[in-house]
Amino acid sequence: MRKISRILWGIVLVIIGVVFSLNALDITDVNVFFDGWWTLFIIIPCAIGLFTEHEKTGNIIGVAVGVFLLLCCQNILSFSMLWKLLVPAIIIIVGLKMVFTGIFANKANEIIKKMKIEGKDLKSSCAVFSGCNIKYDGEVFEGAELTAVFGSIDCDLRSAIIQNDCALQLSAIFGGIDILVPDNVNVKVSSNCIFGGISNRTAVKKEAPTIYVSGTCMFGGVEIK
């Protein structure tokens, strides 16, 4: 994904450079600083995020916000109509995301639910306006629930004993969570994010246990590496 992101940003920069060059040579007369040109700083990064990031909800909302603002600057829509149309659009996007998430249940929630029913040792940590460092050295790990609200959590699973598929249920609300995983596992992510996201930097391994991650991020982020 990082490679694709670099390629897309490279293409954008090449296009910008070509336009400026052609304008300087009087070959073209493209008005780069049109009304609402600044909205491109919202639209372009979010549009690239749609192709490069696993979680797309926040990027979809970002594109919608940028497009609505651009249309207002171009006098196609009035600013008085902005909130009347934008807020319902955001609500619809979030609602559709919740509907699809509910229909297609993710594996992480199923594992966590099964652990609770069977009374297994489910790890749990919460950081509210604080920081928390967690290590599971030499422990058999099956699942955990981690919540960061205006705080941060560093979870180190590199020395944990992971023999079977396990799960992480994560919530980052105006906070951040960093997960360090061992080299002999796969990581699969299912998330609901609004102005936040989950970055999975791990590589795919063959015939390895899988850590299923269910994440909710609101103005927060999760990094798995």
Side-chain angles (χ1 to χ4, degrees):
M1 288 300 182
R2 283 180 290 177
K3 182 178 179 181
I4 296 175
S5 179
R6 286 196 296 269
I7 292 172
L8 292 176
W9 275 113
I11 292 172
V12 170
L13 292 175
V14 168
I15 292 173
I16 293 173
V18 169
V19 170
F20 276 110
S21 298
L22 293 177
N23 282 350
L25 295 171
D26 293 326
I27 298 175
T28 60
D29 186 22
V30 178
N31 183 12
V32 179
F33 299 104
F34 54 87
D35 291 339
W37 63 271
W38 52 269
T39 60
L40 296 180
F41 288 102
I42 301 173
I43 297 171
I44 292 175
C46 291
I48 290 176
L50 291 175
F51 296 96
T52 61
E53 296 180 13
H54 177 82
E55 173 52 43
K56 305 184 187 302
T57 307
N59 289 311
I60 293 173
I61 293 174
V63 170
V65 170
V67 169
F68 272 111
L69 289 171
L70 178 59
L71 293 176
C72 290
C73 291
Q74 292 288 320
N75 294 319
I76 297 174
L77 293 176
S78 65
F79 280 99
S80 62
M81 290 292 294
L82 178 63
W83 297 111
K84 294 180 182 179
L85 295 175
L86 184 58
V87 173
I90 293 175
I91 293 173
I92 291 171
I93 292 169
V94 174
L96 288 173
K97 172 67 175 178
M98 295 176 67
V99 168
F100 283 108
T101 302
I103 293 175
F104 304 103
N106 63 72
K107 185 72 173 179
N109 291 339
E110 293 177 1
I111 293 174
I112 296 292
K113 183 178 179 180
K114 184 178 179 181
M115 288 183 67
K116 290 180 177 179
I117 293 174
E118 296 177 353
K120 291 186 176 181
D121 181 23
L122 178 64
K123 315 292 184 181
S124 180
S125 295
C126 182
V128 181
F129 291 99
S130 63
C132 181
N133 292 309
I134 309 166
K135 287 187 177 182
Y136 297 106
D137 295 350
E139 297 183 47
V140 175
F141 182 83
E142 295 185 271
E145 293 178 314
L146 306 178
T147 301
V149 182
F150 290 97
S152 63
I153 294 178
D154 292 324
C155 178
D156 191 343
L157 297 173
R158 290 175 296 180
S159 298
I161 301 172
I162 301 176
Q163 300 169 326
N164 302 303
D165 291 348
C166 54
L168 284 168
Q169 203 167 58
L170 311 175
S171 297
I173 315 298
F174 289 95
I177 300 176
D178 289 333
I179 309 292
L180 299 176
V181 300
D183 294 330
N184 61 335
V185 298
N186 288 309
V187 177
K188 292 187 178 182
V189 176
S190 176
S191 59
N192 291 303
C193 299
I194 301 174
F195 294 108
I198 297 180
S199 174
N200 179 13
R201 300 181 182 276
T202 63
V204 177
K205 294 89 179 177
K206 294 182 179 180
E207 298 181 358
T210 299
I211 300 177
Y212 291 94
V213 178
S214 173
T216 299
C217 299
M218 292 183 63
F219 296 95
V222 173
E223 185 170 358
I224 305 169
K225 53 189 177 182

